[in-house]
């Protein structure tokens, strides 16, 4: 596997609780602080040595969406007029929890906004906010 | 609406959505604790971050953050006190402890090794702690973010650092010992620095690492820059010991080495300290330690340093540019005004300037070189090398040399510092205008005169420019510009009338330079003099044409070249011979041939400009006379008449023409000549001297033959005169520009004072006309101000002039005013 300047692989593997594996760019993955810590070469965690992160609390569907988000985030960094990320409403809750677990990603606000937008389509906004205890 | 709000925190759901499974805190903590143990023993590679993170995450989700936080802290405290502290205490070798109490007893090397070992152990412990806590903090990130933030706790990393400080650094180094590890560390670092200052090589990286540790730890709970342990605990004592060290060192150095070495050493120390801060300590200390070195080595010592025997005076005298530059640099560090250096420099300038002044006075007063030695050369030598004039020129050259010297120092060593330049200028002006030396104006003018007449011959334009520039430089310093103008006019007048200047262009250049420097007013009269000369040339050629038209082609006709001078612009009084009172009223009796021409020109001039009166100044003219000497048997047997063209003064011509009237063997007495020509006595004496005494131009024979001319002496034509050249110039004794005698000077000063009086009056009237009413103080101040570019009048003089103006009813005193005030009377 190709290595980058610091002697790390360019791709890392994210594994879901149900065994799906996602190989994504390291730079995209490290947007999430938790993943970044895991892969921090200075500490020498198991994940860092194997370039493989296993998430026991996240299932494949959610992890796929997270990967999509990570790429989406990297792609539109420093851009204007960013298109909305399509988030199926039934994933919203789990995504929010995963985001919390992963320390909210780089742009928690944007995720929240997208969640809200997609939630609105289904007229579940009020319930949703209650569930989330969103104190806005 | 919600989307537009600011950063909102998304919290985990309250109810156990997360899989819902209950977790056992103790169980989970056990897993975490054992993992931490692994981390501390550097076995982290088997651990999964995700797993640990998930455990900590869950605990916090279950609202057990508080417990987790406490457990982690207890765990760290335990680790530090049981494991780390022991390791540190093992490092405390007896050497280290001895040295901390009393220096001596052990060798430097032993102490250094002990110190390095101790520092290394401490540093390693800190680095381990730092790395481990970094990892722990990563794992406990969720706790930091959620629990610590909500409850306003320190992050786990920071609180672990505090633990390190309290459990390791602030712990006593040994049980029952009163010195803490931190104090010991400070002491060891200071010891090492002391060793380095004494020339030993120390492990800078090690110290830097320890400093890094001190910089990473804080004294209180707050993380401010001032409370870093480095600042709070180490820096102060570092500065204190440095101050003591340098104080002692400066004393030793001042006693034992010269100023140059001291400066070099000081600079080296400063650079060393800067380097030390960069490589061993912290950059933030640089300005502080610099200040300590500057205070101790420079500020408190600069006066002693500058006044040392090998101090600034010695450096200036010996052109020690490098050392002077060092002194400058050091002085500039502690004092932007460089007061001490400036003082020393000014003192030296004035000293050296006064020496030059005194040398000039001494040279001008010394008895002339013994008569016997140069009897042969006689008056010719006396004329060209008048001692005083030489002294004057030497003075100017000395001053210029001094100026060059200090300019060079200023440029090379003082970094072309503005303030110092001002000070230099002031000092030069001080000694040039010193009241004990009133001749500077005259000397400078003489210097220019000398150069105009001889000095610039054969020089390139650039060199001439430089000479002129030098003269201007000196002129800038002169305070009494009016006195200078007077002398310059006098000297210029002679140069122009006697055709002594080498180049008219250079004269004009000089004047235009003065114009730039001193303004239009100053050069107006000088320019008028040049204008007169040009007009005179036109007049001469005009008259020549006029005579030619008359058609009387007399072969013996005498040619006339005339200079018509405006009496206001030319300093005629100073030209009218040597100031004989009666000489001015007496009119020279010209021989008939000359008189005819004179009248002819008067007529011609009267036609051109009516109403102008011409006064003939025979004392200033010169004439070319063709003389025929009778045949004398020459050595080669040539038997022809000898013709010479004699260039003599007008008076000389008048005298010579007298002998045309009488036969060759008749002699005339001095009194005869005087009666027939009416030439003033002193001028007559000088002219006869040059005609009858000077060996090369002895056209007359004097009886008895002696050097002095007495009223009873008899003169006759020297038929046997022998001359080597066809053209012979008969110089008149004391014809050139030279230093004035004391009597002349008094006169010049008196005249100057008179004209100053007018200037003052004019200034006072100008001011009062504008202001109408003014207090005495203000009036004096303004007058001084207005006249500053010309001269510096004395206040008593101004007072007198005001009195006189009141008498003449230009002004009146305001009655009953609180302060003396005047009113202008229109």
């Amino acid at each position: 596997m190709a290595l980058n300047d610091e002697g790390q692989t360019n791709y890392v593997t994210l594994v879901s609780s149900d065994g799906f594996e996602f190989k994504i760019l390291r730079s995209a993955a490290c947007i999430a602080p938790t993943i970044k810590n895991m892969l921090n070469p200075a500490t020498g965690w198991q994940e860092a040595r194997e370039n493989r992160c296993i998430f026991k609390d996240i299932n494949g569907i959610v992890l796929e969406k997270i990967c999509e988000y990570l790429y989406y985030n990297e792609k539109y960094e420093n851009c204007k007029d960013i298109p909305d990320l399509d988030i199926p409403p039934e994933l919203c809750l789990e995504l929010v929890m995963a985001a919390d677990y992963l320390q909210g990603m780089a742009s928690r606000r944007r995720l929240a906004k997208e969640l809200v937008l997609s939630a609105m389509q289904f007229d579940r906004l009020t319930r949703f906010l209650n569930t989330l205890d969103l104190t806005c | 609406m919600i989307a537009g709000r600011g950063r909102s925190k998304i919290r985990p759901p309250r109810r156990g959505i997360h899989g819902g499974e209950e977790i056992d805190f103790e169980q989970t903590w056990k897993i975490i604790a054992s993992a931490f143990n692994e981390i501390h023993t550097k076995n982290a590679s088997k651990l999964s971050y995700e797993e640990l993170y998930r455990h900590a995450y869950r605990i916090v989700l279950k609202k057990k953050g508080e417990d987790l936080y406490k457990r982690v802290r207890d765990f760290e405290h335990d680790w530090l006190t049981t494991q780390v502290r022991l390791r540190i205490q093992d490092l405390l070798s007896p050497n280290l402890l001895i040295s901390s109490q009393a220096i001596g007893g052990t060798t430097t090397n032993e102490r250094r090794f002990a110190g390095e070992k101790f520092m290394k152990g401490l540093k390693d412990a800190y680095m381990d702690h730092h790395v481990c806590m970094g990892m722990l903090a990563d794992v406990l990130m969720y706790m930091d973010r959620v629990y610590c933030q909500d409850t306003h706790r320190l992050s786990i990393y920071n609180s672990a650092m505090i633990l390190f400080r309290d459990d390791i650094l602030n712990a006593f180094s040994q049980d029952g010992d009163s010195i803490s590890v931190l104090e010991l560390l400070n002491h060891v670092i200071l010891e090492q620095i002391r060793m380095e200052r004494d020339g030993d090589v120390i492990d800078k990286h090690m110290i830097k690492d320890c400093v890094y540790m001190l910089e990473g730890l804080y004294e209180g709970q707050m993380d401010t820059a001032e409370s870093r342990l480095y600042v709070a605990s180490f820096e102060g004592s570092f500065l204190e010991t440095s101050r003591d060290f340098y104080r002692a060192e400066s004393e030793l150095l001042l006693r034992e080495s010269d100023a140059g070495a001291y400066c070099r050493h000081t600079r080296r120390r400063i650079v060393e300290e800067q380097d030390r801060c960069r490589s061993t300590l912290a950059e933030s200390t640089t300005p502080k330690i610099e200040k300590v070195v500057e205070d101790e080595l420079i500020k408190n010592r600069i006066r002693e340093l500058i006044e040392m025997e090998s101090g600034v005076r010695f450096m200036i005298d010996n052109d020690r540019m490098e050392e002077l530059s060092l002194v400058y640099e050091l002085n500039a560090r502690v004092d932007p005004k460089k007061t001490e250096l400036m003082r020393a420099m000014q003192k030296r300038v004035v000293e050296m300037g006064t020496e030059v002044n005194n040398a000039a006075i001494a040279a001008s007063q010394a008895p002339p070189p013994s008569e016997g030695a140069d009897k042969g050369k006689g008056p010719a030598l006396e004329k060209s090398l008048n001692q005083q004039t030489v002294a004057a020129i030497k003075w100017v050259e000395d001053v210029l040399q001094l100026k060059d010297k200090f300019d060079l120092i200023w440029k090379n060593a003082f970094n072309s510092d503005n303030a110092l330049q001002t000070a230099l200028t002031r000092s030069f002006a001080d000694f040039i205008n010193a009241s004990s030396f009133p001749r500077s104006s005259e000397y400078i003018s003489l210097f220019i005169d000398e150069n105009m007449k001889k000095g610039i011959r054969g020089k390139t334009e650039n060199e001439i420019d430089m000479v002129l520039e030098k003269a201007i430089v000196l002129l800038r310093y002169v305070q009494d510009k009016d006195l200078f103008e007077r002398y310059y006019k006098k000297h210029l007048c002679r140069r122009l009338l006697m055709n002594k200047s080498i180049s008219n262009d250079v004269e004009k250049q000089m004047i235009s330079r003065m114009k730039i420097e001193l303004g239009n007013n100053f050069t107006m009269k000088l320019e008028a003099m040049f204008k007169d000369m040009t007009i005179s040339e036109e007049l001469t050629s005009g008259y020549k044409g006029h005579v030619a038209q008359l058609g009387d082609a007399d072969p013996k006709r005498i040619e006339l070249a005339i200079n018509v001078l405006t009496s206001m612009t030319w300093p005629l009084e100073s030209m009218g011979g040597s100031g004989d009172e009666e000489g001015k009223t007496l009119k020279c009796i010209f021989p008939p041939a000359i008189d005819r021409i004179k009248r002819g020109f008067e007529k011609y001039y009267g036609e051109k400009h009516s109403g102008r009166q011409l006064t003939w100044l025979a004392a200033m003219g010169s004439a070319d006379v063709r003389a025929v000497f009778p045949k004398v048997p020459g050595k080669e047997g040539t038997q022809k008449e000898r013709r010479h063209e004699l260039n003599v003064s007008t008076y000389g011509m008048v005298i010579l023409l007298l002998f045309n009237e009488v036969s060759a063997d008749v002699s005339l007495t001095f009194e005869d000549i005087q009666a027939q020509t009416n030439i003033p006595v002193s001028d007559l004496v000088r002219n006869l001297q040059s005609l009858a005494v000077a060996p090369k131009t002895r056209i007359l024979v004097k009886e008895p033959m002696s050097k002095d001319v007495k009223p009873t002496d008899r003169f006759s034509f020297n038929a046997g005169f022998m001359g080597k050249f066809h053209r012979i110039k008969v110089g008149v004794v004391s014809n050139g520009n030279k230093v004035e005698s004391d009597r002349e000077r008094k006169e010049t000063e008196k005249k100057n004072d008179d004209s100053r009086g007018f200037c003052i009056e004019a200034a006072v009237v100008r001011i009062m006309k504008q202001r109408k009413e003014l207090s005495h103080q203000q009036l004096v101040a303004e007058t001084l101000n207005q006249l500053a570019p010309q001269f510096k009048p004395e206040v008593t003089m101004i007072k007198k002039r005001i009195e006189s103006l009141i008498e003449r009813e230009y002004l009146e005193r305001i009655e009953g005013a609180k302060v003396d005030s005047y009113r202008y009377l229109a």
Side-chain angles (χ1 to χ4, degrees):
Chain A
M1 209 181 271
L3 301 180
N4 67 6
D5 295 344
E6 289 136 43
Q8 296 168 310
T9 54
N10 282 327
Y11 285 87
V12 295
T13 311
L14 307 184
V15 184
S16 70
S17 56
D18 42 3
F20 290 97
E21 296 194 2
F22 302 87
K23 284 194 164 45
I24 73 166
L25 269 176
R26 180 184 292 270
S27 56
C30 285
I31 290 167
T34 306
I35 303 182
K36 195 176 175 208
N37 277 344
M38 265 179 219
L39 294 171
N40 184 356
T43 51
W45 302 105
Q46 194 181 3
E47 286 90 343
R49 287 187 299 119
E50 294 173 0
N51 294 315
R52 184 183 170 88
C53 309
I54 303 164
F55 298 98
K56 296 217 170 133
D57 279 350
I58 302 175
N59 65 35
I61 302 169
V62 177
L63 193 56
E64 185 183 14
K65 204 70 199 167
I66 287 171
C67 292
E68 192 186 337
Y69 174 77
L70 290 170
Y71 271 124
Y72 164 88
N73 205 332
E74 188 172 71
K75 181 179 174 189
Y76 293 111
E77 209 183 1
N78 305 324
C79 290
K80 283 178 182 169
D81 301 327
I82 304 165
D84 289 340
L85 177 70
D86 184 42
I87 296 174
E90 63 275 16
L91 278 184
C92 281
L93 193 53
E94 280 176 286
L95 268 177
V96 173
M97 282 166 54
D100 188 50
Y101 179 80
L102 296 174
Q103 300 282 310
M105 320 275 185
S107 167
R108 218 175 303 154
R109 200 174 99 202
R110 194 187 296 162
L111 183 61
K113 175 184 157 196
E114 279 140 15
L115 287 171
V116 167
L117 282 176
S118 46
M120 273 163 69
Q121 296 170 354
F122 288 83
D123 196 24
R124 282 155 66 182
L125 178 61
T126 328
R127 220 180 70 199
F128 199 41
L129 285 177
N130 284 340
T131 331
L132 288 180
D133 186 23
L134 264 177
T135 46
C136 299
Chain B
M1 149 203 176
I2 293 158
R5 291 294 171 84
R7 199 172 273 271
S8 54
K9 197 183 289 172
I10 299 175
R11 288 161 191 266
R14 272 192 182 148
R15 275 148 287 136
I17 300 174
H18 227 293
E21 77 218 70
E22 279 302 313
I23 55 155
D24 181 356
F25 177 79
E26 290 302 331
Q27 201 63 40
T28 319
W29 168 246
K30 251 185 202 154
I31 300 171
I32 293 176
S34 75
F36 284 1
N37 240 322
E38 296 289 309
I39 291 174
H40 275 305
T41 47
K42 296 175 190 168
N43 281 324
S45 58
K46 276 179 266 157
L47 301 170
S48 159
Y49 176 84
E50 198 270 347
E51 190 191 342
L52 291 172
Y53 177 77
R54 186 155 36 85
H55 286 311
Y57 178 76
R58 285 215 180 127
I59 289 175
V60 175
L61 275 189
K62 299 290 174 201
K63 301 282 170 204
K64 294 271 175 51
E66 173 91 27
D67 296 335
L68 179 61
Y69 189 82
K70 267 195 190 134
R71 288 287 176 94
V72 175
R73 269 186 49 177
D74 289 348
F75 178 86
E76 280 308 315
H77 177 68
D78 217 44
W79 175 263
L80 286 171
T81 44
T82 55
Q83 304 282 325
V84 183
R85 192 189 285 177
L86 282 179
R87 258 184 279 153
I88 298 294
Q89 278 174 350
D90 279 349
L91 292 170
L92 303 175
S93 69
N95 271 341
L96 195 65
L97 289 174
I98 286 170
S99 67
S100 74
Q101 268 124 24
I103 296 171
T106 50
T107 66
T108 316
N109 258 352
E110 278 172 302
R111 266 184 287 138
R112 193 174 72 217
F113 285 136
E116 276 171 9
K117 208 169 125 205
F118 169 70
M119 284 194 296
K120 180 161 181 348
L122 203 53
K123 178 203 105 184
D124 287 347
Y126 175 75
M127 290 313 285
D128 285 352
H129 187 64
H130 171 74
V131 170
C132 292
M133 284 323 293
M135 290 171 79
L136 255 63
D138 281 352
V139 169
L140 300 170
M141 183 166 60
Y142 195 76
M143 181 185 79
D144 269 346
R145 192 165 70 84
V146 175
Y147 167 73
C148 293
Q149 252 177 36
D150 285 1
T151 52
H152 301 291
R153 293 263 189 163
L154 283 176
S155 74
I156 192 69
Y157 177 85
N158 285 350
S159 75
M161 285 300 138
I162 290 172
L163 282 175
F164 184 83
R165 183 194 74 203
D166 293 342
D167 289 341
I168 302 296
L169 293 185
N170 287 350
F172 294 126
S173 52
Q174 266 180 343
D175 297 328
D177 206 335
S178 59
I179 297 172
S180 73
V181 172
L182 180 60
E183 281 166 41
L184 196 58
L185 175 66
N186 284 349
H187 174 81
V188 167
I189 297 179
L190 290 178
E191 274 263 313
Q192 302 266 329
I193 288 173
R194 167 100 202 186
M195 287 175 199
E196 195 188 23
R197 281 188 185 137
D198 289 340
D200 284 357
V201 177
I202 58 167
D203 188 345
K204 292 177 181 174
H205 288 291
M206 184 80 74
I207 300 178
K208 182 81 186 171
D209 287 338
C210 287
V211 167
Y212 177 74
M213 169 178 83
L214 292 179
E215 285 207 291
L217 296 172
Y218 297 84
E219 189 163 47
Q221 296 285 322
M222 300 300 292
D223 298 359
T224 55
E226 283 72 40
S227 68
R228 283 177 300 160
L229 273 187
Y230 172 75
V231 179
S233 144
F234 173 75
E235 203 177 43
S237 51
F238 167 64
L239 294 178
E240 200 47 51
T241 44
S242 302
R243 193 175 286 278
D244 292 343
F245 174 80
Y246 284 117
R247 187 177 300 137
E249 185 174 73
S250 70
E251 244 160 57
L252 189 74
L253 273 174
L254 275 181
R255 245 198 337 266
E256 291 187 351
S257 59
D258 64 16
Y262 184 93
C263 292
R264 272 188 286 272
H265 185 84
T266 304
R267 198 176 58 170
R268 192 163 57 81
R269 281 298 192 198
I270 291 173
V271 173
E272 265 177 30
E273 289 301 337
Q274 285 167 345
D275 285 349
R276 180 167 299 121
C277 286
R278 212 170 303 128
S279 66
T280 317
L281 303 174
E283 293 273 14
S284 59
T285 309
T286 314
K288 297 177 195 165
I289 185 69
E290 265 178 25
K291 175 130 191 349
V292 166
V293 182
E294 281 165 6
D295 279 356
E296 291 306 327
L297 287 185
I298 311 175
K299 206 169 175 179
N300 298 342
R301 303 289 180 185
I302 187 82
R303 182 178 279 255
E304 282 175 75
L305 172 67
I306 281 175
E307 285 174 1
M308 268 167 92
E309 206 172 304
S310 55
V312 166
R313 190 192 149 130
F314 172 83
M315 295 175 191
I316 289 176
D317 289 358
N318 293 293
D319 289 321
R320 295 281 177 90
M321 293 294 173
E322 189 215 333
E323 291 175 4
L324 281 170
S325 146
L326 277 172
V327 175
Y328 171 80
E329 191 191 314
L330 297 185
N331 201 178
R333 273 180 170 277
V334 296
D335 177 11
K337 288 197 207 125
K338 280 88 47 184
T339 323
E340 288 299 328
L341 177 61
M342 191 187 288
R343 211 174 44 84
M345 179 193 70
Q346 284 189 303
K347 192 169 150 230
R348 193 63 196 135
V349 170
V350 173
E351 270 171 21
M352 292 175 91
T354 312
E355 269 170 38
V356 172
N357 284 354
N358 290 341
I361 292 173
S364 64
Q365 282 170 353
S370 66
E371 294 286 317
D374 42 31
K375 212 165 212 164
K377 293 170 193 166
L381 182 81
E382 209 178 311
K383 184 188 73 179
S384 64
L385 280 179
N386 183 293
Q387 211 177 357
Q388 296 221 355
T389 313
V390 173
I393 288 161
K394 180 150 181 350
W395 177 81
V396 171
E397 269 159 10
D398 285 351
V399 173
L400 284 175
Q401 215 181 347
L402 200 63
K403 160 101 180 130
D404 282 348
K405 181 187 172 82
F406 278 96
D407 274 352
L408 205 66
I409 291 176
W410 174 72
K411 213 170 116 207
N412 291 344
F414 297 162
N415 200 17
S416 300
D417 187 277
N418 273 340
L420 287 179
Q421 190 184 32
T422 320
L424 264 182
T425 310
R426 210 177 317 123
S427 302
F428 269 94
D430 277 356
F431 82 79
I432 287 176
N433 294 310
S435 54
S436 59
F437 187 77
R439 302 192 178 187
S440 43
S441 306
E442 188 184 359
Y443 280 6
I444 293 170
S445 176
L446 263 176
F447 170 77
I448 299 172
D449 186 63
E450 178 69 17
N451 272 303
M452 287 294 182
K453 287 197 304 206
K454 293 183 205 141
I456 58 171
R457 183 169 292 144
K459 279 187 179 162
T460 64
E461 227 163 86
N462 277 345
E463 285 168 329
I464 293 175
D465 261 9
M466 268 168 59
V467 171
L468 299 187
E469 184 55 39
K470 278 178 176 175
I472 291 290
V473 163
L474 283 187
L475 189 52
R476 256 177 231 151
Y477 294 127
V478 172
Q479 219 163 48
D480 296 337
K481 302 271 192 322
D482 59 335
L483 203 61
F484 173 80
E485 186 192 356
R486 191 169 288 276
Y487 282 114
Y488 193 79
K489 250 159 76 177
K490 183 178 146 192
H491 295 152
L492 175 65
C493 169
R494 294 227 187 191
R495 284 205 296 278
L496 289 179
L497 290 185
M498 293 174 185
N499 259 330
K500 288 265 177 74
S501 45
I502 291 172
S503 156
N504 245 341
D505 279 349
V506 179
E507 291 275 9
K508 281 184 183 147
Q509 266 184 49
M510 186 72 213
I511 289 191
S512 64
R513 272 165 190 268
M514 285 198 255
K515 197 183 211 162
I516 295 168
E517 204 60 41
L518 305 168
N520 256 339
N521 261 347
F522 186 82
T523 51
M524 217 156 57
K525 286 187 177 173
L526 302 178
E527 279 170 344
M529 286 164 78
F530 276 98
K531 210 166 150 202
D532 273 358
M533 292 304 283
T534 329
I535 293 173
S536 297
E537 263 170 44
E538 283 165 18
L539 264 178
T540 304
S541 62
Y543 179 65
K544 211 167 168 183
H546 170 74
V547 172
Q549 270 175 10
L550 291 182
D552 112 55
D554 182 358
K556 282 190 170 179
R557 198 186 65 233
I558 299 164
E559 280 182 26
L560 176 74
I562 191 148
N563 290 322
V564 179
L565 315 175
T566 317
S567 59
M568 283 306 285
T569 42
W570 292 71
L572 297 178
E573 67 277 18
S574 61
M575 297 292 299
S578 46
D580 246 312
E581 280 307 314
E582 76 258 59
K584 278 176 191 157
T585 53
L586 286 175
K587 282 215 174 69
C588 172
I589 300 169
F590 290 109
I594 307 292
D595 204 43
R596 204 169 60 238
I597 295 208
K598 181 185 146 198
R599 268 182 279 115
F601 181 78
E602 269 171 357
K603 191 163 158 250
Y604 171 77
Y605 191 76
E607 281 166 10
K608 283 200 124 176
H609 311 274
S610 58
R612 293 203 189 166
Q613 204 196 341
L614 289 172
T615 311
W616 294 79
L617 295 163
M620 273 172 270
S622 65
D624 287 344
V625 181
R626 264 187 225 111
V628 182
F629 294 92
K631 297 174 187 173
V632 213
K635 276 170 196 162
E636 293 91 27
T638 44
Q639 296 263 323
K640 56 179 181 184
E641 288 178 342
R642 286 158 304 124
R643 289 169 180 280
H644 284 289
E645 208 164 272
L646 305 174
N647 177 267
V648 294
S649 67
T650 310
Y651 284 145
M653 172 204 58
V654 172
I655 296 165
L656 285 180
L657 286 183
L658 278 183
F659 291 90
N660 261 358
E661 308 297 319
V662 299
S663 55
D665 46 354
V666 176
S667 65
L668 298 171
T669 65
F670 180 84
E671 275 150 346
D672 286 339
I673 298 173
Q674 221 256 313
Q676 286 185 49
T677 59
N678 216 0
I679 297 172
V681 178
S682 62
D683 286 333
L684 187 58
V685 169
R686 281 189 294 119
N687 277 292
L688 283 172
Q689 258 177 351
S690 57
L691 287 172
V693 180
K696 279 181 190 156
T697 57
R698 206 168 286 167
I699 298 155
L700 299 180
V701 176
K702 187 167 88 78
E703 192 63 41
M705 191 56 220
S706 65
K707 218 179 167 195
D708 298 325
V709 176
K710 295 192 185 67
T712 51
D713 287 351
R714 302 183 70 79
F715 298 88
S716 62
F717 181 60
N718 179 8
F721 173 76
M722 304 277 278
K724 278 179 198 154
F725 305 102
H726 175 63
R727 229 183 115 81
I728 292 167
K729 189 168 166 62
V730 182
V732 178
V733 177
S734 76
N735 208 359
N737 287 328
K738 56 174 193 176
V739 173
E740 294 178 321
S741 65
D742 283 343
R743 191 169 57 88
E744 283 172 318
R745 181 185 321 287
K746 268 194 198 113
E747 218 163 276
T748 312
E749 270 164 17
K750 191 174 154 284
K751 275 179 204 142
N752 208 41
D753 277 352
D754 289 348
S755 71
R756 279 184 183 186
F758 292 125
C759 285
I760 295 172
E761 280 184 6
V764 168
V765 170
R766 265 199 306 276
I767 294 164
M768 290 308 291
K769 194 167 183 177
Q770 199 185 359
R771 309 285 291 265
K772 302 301 176 206
E773 283 179 18
L774 211 57
S775 77
H776 176 77
Q777 286 303 328
Q778 275 175 300
L779 180 57
V780 170
E782 282 217 27
T783 311
L784 281 170
N785 206 17
Q786 240 189 44
L787 294 173
Q790 295 169 52
F791 59 92
K792 196 172 157 233
E794 283 172 30
V795 178
T796 48
M797 198 160 173
I798 300 178
K799 261 189 198 160
K800 267 189 204 154
R801 293 340 294 183
I802 295 175
E803 294 289 333
S804 139
L805 284 172
I806 292 172
E807 262 168 43
R808 284 179 284 158
E809 297 190 332
Y810 281 98
L811 308 177
E812 65 171 6
R813 285 209 169 80
I814 301 177
E815 299 291 333
K818 271 182 211 158
V819 284
D820 282 349
S821 303
Y822 307 106
R823 179 181 295 126
Y824 179 70
L825 297 174

